[in-house]
Amino acid sequence: MKKIILASLLSALSHNAFAESITVYSARAEQLIKPLINAYQAETGVQINLVSDKEAPLMERIKSEGTNTSADMLITVDAGNLWQATNMGILAPVRSTILNKNIPAHLRDPNNHWFGLSVRARTIFYNTNKVKPSQLSTYENLANSKWAGKLCLRTSKKVYNQSLVAMMVSEVGAAQTERVVKGWVNNLAAPVFADDTKLLEAIASGQCEVGIANTYYYGRLMQKNKLPVGIFWANQKTKGVHVNISGAGITKNAKNAAGAIKFLEWLSSERAQNLFADANMEFPANSKVKPDNNVAAWGSFKQNLINVSTAGAYQVEAVKLMDRAGYK
Amino acid sequence: MGLTLIPLCVLILSLRSIDADIWQHLLSFSLSQLISNTIFLLIGVALLSLIIAAPLAWLVTLYQFPGRRFFNWALALPLAVPAYVMAFAQQGLFEFSGALQTWLRPDTRNTSLFESIPLLLAVSLTLSLAFYPYVYLLARQAFQSMGQRAIETGQSLGLSRTQSFIRIALPMARPWLAAGVMLVLMETLAEFGAVSIFNFDTLTSAIYKAWFSLFSIETAQQLALLLVLFVLIVYSIEQYSRHRYIYAPRSSNNVRRTTLVGTQARMASLTAALILLFSFILPFIQLLYWSINSFRDSFTDEFIRALINSMALAVQAALLITIMAFLLSYARRRDPSKSSSFMTHIATLGYAVPGTVLAIGIFVPIAMLDNLLINWLPSANDTAAIFKGSLFVMLLAFLIRFLSVAYNTIDSGMKRISKNQEDSARSLGTSNKQLLYRLYAPLLKKSTFTALLLVFIEVIKEIPITLMMRPFDKETLSVRIFNFTTEGQWEQAALPAISIVLCALIPLLILSNQADKE
């Protein structure tokens, strides 16, 4: 009897949902996810609970909650963390012809643990008053001494740079990559920046002439004021622009896996893809969907087709390599 | 108080698995630099906050000058500005002139200590401007009750007022100054947002790097233990160096303020105004500017709900934590043995652990408890959470994090009650219980109120624990700030940030009114 009373008391404390509900743990900022959740709720009546935090604490949460996790879905803003989540054994593989059709192979886990939902391109930006696009070619070329004192980089603590270097390690090996990173460090015009916006502003102000950043920061900045900064699609004659993803997977102990998979499939659909990508001026992962007009205006480009999970597999090596090369 | 030890235990348990590879890497490439950065930052912030706060507290307590009543409470305002907001605003200022910026951001290719001194100064100054009010509030309390005596003693020795300040008041106020500086140091150690805006690497940066980039939460926890050790060492040095002294001045609340005239008065007002300008007004204007720019997008129903949630949460947490701190301080008074003093200190260490590491350290045991209960209870089959995500646990987590803020504040007031006062009350046949109501409670009113205020502000600013422990969809102002700043949208983050500042103004105004009445 006591046990029953206690149990009912405790369950009164906890959340009991009556309608179908899905709980999403998301590292993608709430204001970028909320419009999608609202649209899905309006369309299907499914209740979606959202828990926002950084990736690492979310993953640790799912792990420690074990079989009693509230999370049905995990959304992150880069592939490295999804790779790590798979490694930790907290994601379940999903068989879905819809997802396989909508999301290109290089933007999803080879074993279907997660799927990219938007593409974040990281490429080269330059001061239009000081640099001609013809002088630019590849990320590697920025290590050339002709850029000495002219390059700006964001801190190596940011996962975007870790992924970029990780991909490079997987393609050309550690020794070659380390030479490139050392070259970059030697060419720095200023100490590394804390964020991409600051870096782009430094290029605009002439503090440096070239730099590497994600395109949506550029989009956001240029919307506010027209700065003398141009976008250059890197490595077009070689493998293509480095891309990362914002993506999602279904948790292994999901209470409502079927519902969460349906939501994931919906997120990859044409209607949702525009909402997902345009909210932050990113590129839709679904190749049938056109990007936002402002984004499309930057011209089309070749993406590096190497699977984005590589970023996770080589991340630790990349971080250590950048430390060795003195890239702060 | 054993509760507050739980996250420390989680940290200690991480020692079971040591990743030699990562440690090797950290040792050879960054650790020594990070430790020296951290030590110099601690020294810089401690000294600068003392230099800013102690003279200001002395000035507003013992002198009369134009604007004194205003400065008296306004100088505590920077508390309400989250350090990362301060850093962002200050960095904007430094960047105003390119020359100053290049001077402040030295060449990264050579990272010898000498060359990072300008950056170190900039970071120390920013953090001091954000944290000095801890020292200011406690120092003001101390001077209010014994400043007059310091001056009188000084006069009898033929010292000027300034000499009395340096040679008598400062040494007498040492326990209070030390308590304030301890809070500042712990804030500095746990600080991540502000140092990463300046790209100044400390031990905390290494902790997050190990966890987020090298995927090793154990290494992160081990590094956090190192940080806790830092605090213990500082604390022990401070305790040991004054172990021969007994601090229990008789309180005398009738301060007779000397009126400053002419140049002196203008200098006093100017000094206070300058500190306030850099520590509060400039960041506030920056926030205001952004808020106005983004007002249409930011002022939504969700924002209003977040505002209400934040206020309610902060009030509840402040009440709970202050009561607990009061009891803890009282218990220590009853049992002043060395071991109890050490245990109390351990119980307040949570404050120095970086937020996210502490949050997960609290979350893991609670998730374990939930798992046990769910397996044991027959009717809990469909439940995913019992304690997780409940208000109760959230308040508990805040207790663990902020107990030391309330405790240090109340205990510094407790130290002002002399053994004599207690003995004379006892000789009149007062029981222990009556002692609590008749002696401690009235004498501790001011410090208890200060503690309430500090915790209120801390909770309303807090991000990592709020994120991890909050019930679904319970958005707060700080959660909104987090969501916007992760995407670098500082403008949208400004309205919730400025709301925090305004929320904090209310208790600050009440506190100053109280102070004026007495």
Side-chain angles (χ1 to χ4, degrees):
Chain A
M1 187 59 201
K2 246 189 196 161
K3 223 172 168 182
I4 294 167
I5 293 170
L6 183 60
S8 53
L9 262 177
L10 287 177
S11 60
L13 262 176
S14 62
H15 339 268
N16 269 340
F18 297 101
E20 183 190 348
S21 72
I22 305 169
T23 300
V24 177
Y25 281 15
S26 163
R28 195 173 163 87
E30 212 158 302
Q31 66 275 16
L32 300 181
I33 285 291
K34 264 279 157 67
L36 289 146
I37 288 180
N38 293 341
Y40 191 70
Q41 263 170 274
E43 219 173 287
T44 62
V46 175
Q47 161 79 28
I48 297 179
N49 302 314
L50 182 65
V51 172
S52 306
D53 206 330
K54 295 192 195 108
E55 284 95 347
L58 286 176
M59 291 174 350
E60 211 54 44
R61 261 178 95 157
I62 297 173
K63 190 176 136 197
S64 64
E65 290 174 330
T67 53
N68 297 311
T69 184
S70 325
D72 297 303
M73 183 191 280
L74 172 70
I75 300 182
T76 80
V77 290
D78 79 294
N81 278 299
L82 286 167
W83 176 87
Q84 170 65 2
T86 313
N87 231 15
M88 286 166 79
I90 56 176
L91 295 182
V94 171
R95 300 215 177 289
S96 158
T97 46
I98 297 177
L99 284 168
N100 286 357
K101 196 182 78 197
N102 284 346
I103 307 299
H106 71 289
L107 302 179
R108 53 182 151 90
D109 176 39
N111 300 314
N112 298 315
H113 285 89
W114 45 262
F115 299 83
L117 293 170
S118 68
V119 172
R120 310 182 131 195
R122 193 161 187 77
T123 193
I124 299 173
F125 294 87
Y126 61 96
N127 183 310
T128 47
N129 298 328
K130 295 190 173 172
V131 177
K132 284 189 208 66
S134 59
Q135 292 169 269
L136 296 163
S137 58
T138 62
Y139 306 108
E140 291 83 352
N141 185 255
L142 296 178
N144 189 306
S145 58
K146 75 172 175 185
W147 296 111
K150 295 174 178 171
L151 175 69
C152 272
L153 291 175
R154 183 180 185 164
T155 169
S156 71
K157 286 193 285 284
K158 188 65 195 178
V159 68
Y160 307 149
N161 285 331
Q162 296 167 0
S163 298
L164 174 67
V165 172
M167 295 294 204
M168 213 182 273
V169 172
S170 83
E171 286 174 347
V172 300
Q176 173 66 20
T177 308
E178 196 164 336
R179 271 195 291 280
V180 171
V181 175
K182 274 192 181 136
W184 286 350
V185 173
N186 283 329
N187 289 346
L188 284 180
V192 292
F193 288 83
D195 67 72
D196 280 11
T197 309
K198 283 258 180 296
L199 180 147
L200 290 167
E201 284 169 351
I203 294 177
S205 76
Q207 192 181 9
C208 42
E209 298 180 4
V210 286
I212 300 173
N214 281 6
T215 56
Y216 49 87
Y217 290 102
Y218 174 68
R220 242 188 257 155
L221 202 62
M222 294 298 270
Q223 252 182 354
K224 260 192 281 177
N225 32 19
K226 292 276 163 276
L227 296 173
V229 180
I231 184 168
F232 178 84
W233 297 117
N235 295 44
Q236 292 301 291
K237 292 196 178 121
T238 53
K239 295 235 166 160
V241 169
H242 166 68
V243 293
N244 205 325
I245 52 157
S246 183
I250 307 298
T251 60
K252 193 190 232 164
N253 295 307
K255 293 267 186 305
N256 184 8
I261 292 171
K262 267 196 213 129
F263 181 46
L264 187 55
E265 289 174 340
W266 180 82
L267 286 173
S268 76
S269 73
E270 296 188 21
R271 175 172 142 61
Q273 277 287 288
N274 268 122
L275 269 179
F276 199 100
D278 298 356
N280 196 30
M281 302 185 87
E282 296 171 36
F283 297 90
N286 185 332
S287 46
K288 286 195 291 290
V289 181
K290 284 205 182 64
D292 175 74
N293 284 338
N294 288 316
V295 174
W298 302 332
S300 57
F301 62 96
K302 184 168 87 180
Q303 290 181 22
N304 191 335
L305 293 180
I306 182 173
N307 191 288
V308 288
S309 67
T310 316
Y314 287 89
Q315 179 171 322
V316 173
E317 191 173 346
V319 172
K320 290 182 179 173
L321 183 152
M322 291 189 283
D323 277 346
R324 285 199 300 274
Y327 181 5
K328 291 269 247 178
Chain B
M1 283 308 111
L3 266 178
T4 55
L5 296 178
I6 293 173
L8 278 183
C9 293
V10 172
L11 292 187
I12 290 168
L13 280 177
S14 73
L15 292 173
R16 282 175 310 177
S17 82
I18 287 174
D19 190 325
D21 242 30
I22 292 181
W23 271 104
Q24 183 64 50
H25 177 79
L26 287 174
L27 282 172
S28 38
F29 289 99
S30 43
L31 214 52
S32 60
Q33 169 86 47
L34 295 184
I35 289 179
S36 80
N37 275 0
T38 308
I39 292 176
F40 284 108
L41 182 67
L42 288 178
I43 295 174
V45 178
L47 284 179
L48 284 172
S49 348
L50 264 178
I51 292 172
I52 296 171
L56 279 180
W58 180 252
L59 203 60
V60 298
T61 316
L62 288 139
Y63 293 91
Q64 187 60 52
F65 57 92
R68 187 203 71 85
R69 276 187 61 173
F70 165 75
F71 288 121
N72 186 35
W73 62 270
L75 283 168
L77 281 175
L79 266 188
V81 186
Y84 49 85
V85 172
M86 183 87 83
F88 200 79
Q90 301 283 12
Q91 201 200 25
L93 294 176
F94 289 134
E95 272 175 3
F96 222 66
S97 109
L100 188 61
Q101 189 213 17
T102 17
W103 181 72
L104 284 168
R105 301 180 124 202
D107 199 317
T108 39
R109 280 166 284 178
N110 293 308
T111 49
S112 70
L113 182 69
F114 178 72
E115 293 196 324
S116 53
I117 280 180
L119 181 63
L120 176 70
L121 266 181
V123 183
S124 306
L125 196 59
T126 302
L127 291 184
S128 310
L129 286 174
F131 298 147
Y132 82 82
Y134 292 110
V135 184
Y136 171 76
L137 285 174
L138 289 173
R140 206 178 59 181
Q141 264 190 54
F143 295 146
Q144 261 161 10
S145 63
M146 59 189 204
Q148 194 63 43
R149 281 210 319 135
I151 289 178
E152 282 159 12
T153 317
Q155 273 167 346
S156 69
L157 294 170
L159 298 176
S160 73
R161 281 189 158 238
T162 313
Q163 284 170 322
S164 307
F165 168 61
I166 294 168
R167 295 183 34 197
I168 303 174
L170 276 185
M172 269 169 88
R174 188 160 151 190
W176 295 269
L177 297 176
V181 169
M182 250 348 246
L183 287 176
V184 170
L185 291 183
M186 292 207 264
E187 280 274 4
T188 305
L189 278 173
E191 179 50 50
F192 180 62
V195 294
S196 57
I197 286 171
F198 278 100
N199 235 323
F200 184 77
D201 290 345
T202 63
L203 262 179
T204 309
S205 332
I207 290 174
Y208 285 122
K209 184 176 193 167
W211 186 7
F212 296 174
S213 301
L214 297 168
F215 299 134
S216 173
I217 187 172
E218 289 83 9
T219 311
Q221 290 169 330
Q222 288 149 15
L223 284 164
L225 266 182
L226 199 64
L227 215 116
V228 169
L229 201 69
F230 249 79
V231 179
L232 272 181
I233 292 172
V234 174
Y235 170 79
S236 310
I237 293 174
E238 211 287 318
Q239 287 288 303
Y240 181 77
S241 66
R242 62 172 155 102
H243 73 286
R244 280 173 295 132
Y245 307 104
I246 295 163
Y247 293 88
R250 267 163 278 148
S251 51
S252 59
N253 278 326
N254 45 355
V255 175
R256 285 186 302 279
R257 286 193 193 93
T258 311
T259 306
L260 294 175
V261 286
T263 321
Q264 280 189 320
R266 278 196 290 279
M267 283 300 289
S269 305
L270 188 69
T271 312
L274 271 180
I275 298 286
L276 195 64
L277 177 71
F278 283 102
S279 64
F280 183 75
I281 297 172
L282 286 177
F284 189 83
I285 289 174
Q286 174 84 81
L287 285 179
L288 197 64
Y289 173 72
W290 281 333
S291 305
I292 293 168
N293 272 356
S294 66
F295 192 76
R296 256 204 351 216
D297 300 333
S298 310
F299 192 78
T300 56
D301 289 353
E302 284 157 349
F303 162 76
I304 294 169
R305 242 172 292 148
L307 177 69
I308 295 168
N309 283 343
S310 277
M311 291 279 265
L313 190 66
V315 168
Q316 292 171 64
L319 286 173
L320 172 79
I321 295 167
T322 308
I323 292 170
M324 295 305 276
F326 188 93
L327 294 177
L328 185 64
S329 174
Y330 177 69
R332 238 205 85 187
R333 180 75 177 206
R334 300 250 58 82
D335 170 23
S337 67
K338 269 242 168 62
S339 65
S340 102
S341 136
F342 193 71
M343 283 311 291
T344 323
H345 189 70
I346 297 259
T348 58
L349 276 177
Y351 198 49
V353 178
T356 313
V357 178
L358 186 78
I360 202 76
I362 301 170
F363 186 85
V364 167
I366 286 173
M368 275 163 60
L369 180 68
D370 263 13
N371 286 349
L372 275 176
L373 281 173
I374 289 167
N375 292 342
W376 175 66
L377 294 167
S379 69
N381 278 337
D382 310 327
T383 325
I386 294 172
F387 290 116
K388 281 182 305 198
S390 66
L391 181 66
F392 171 71
V393 166
M394 198 176 181
L395 290 176
L396 203 69
F398 283 134
L399 175 69
I400 294 173
R401 173 110 176 103
F402 295 126
L403 183 64
S404 90
V405 177
Y407 174 78
N408 274 352
T409 311
I410 293 178
D411 199 55
S412 69
M414 189 68 101
K415 287 198 188 96
R416 280 216 312 257
I417 301 173
S418 68
K419 202 89 191 125
N420 292 343
Q421 283 171 297
E422 213 182 291
D423 290 343
S424 50
R426 245 180 239 290
S427 67
L428 296 171
T430 320
S431 73
N432 272 346
K433 208 169 152 193
Q434 283 171 321
L435 215 57
L436 183 62
Y437 293 128
R438 296 237 186 109
L439 182 71
Y440 295 125
L443 286 178
L444 290 175
K445 206 170 83 190
K446 216 181 272 171
S447 20
T448 308
F449 208 84
T450 309
L452 262 175
L453 166 78
L454 288 177
V455 177
F456 176 88
I457 296 175
E458 288 285 356
V459 169
I460 219 167
K461 286 194 293 190
E462 205 281 340
I463 293 179
I465 291 176
T466 313
L467 281 174
M468 202 165 304
M469 301 295 172
R470 75 193 161 122
F472 290 140
D473 298 330
K474 185 158 185 146
E475 218 183 4
T476 68
L477 294 174
S478 61
V479 169
R480 284 183 83 75
I481 296 180
F482 166 80
N483 275 313
F484 287 118
T485 50
T486 42
E487 281 299 333
Q489 295 166 295
W490 288 89
E491 285 204 348
Q492 279 87 340
L495 184 66
I498 208 163
S499 311
I500 288 182
V501 177
L502 296 176
C503 284
L505 263 178
I506 303 166
L508 264 177
L509 281 170
I510 301 175
L511 187 72
S512 73
N513 253 334
Q514 285 260 323
D516 275 344
K517 265 186 227 140
E518 277 161 20

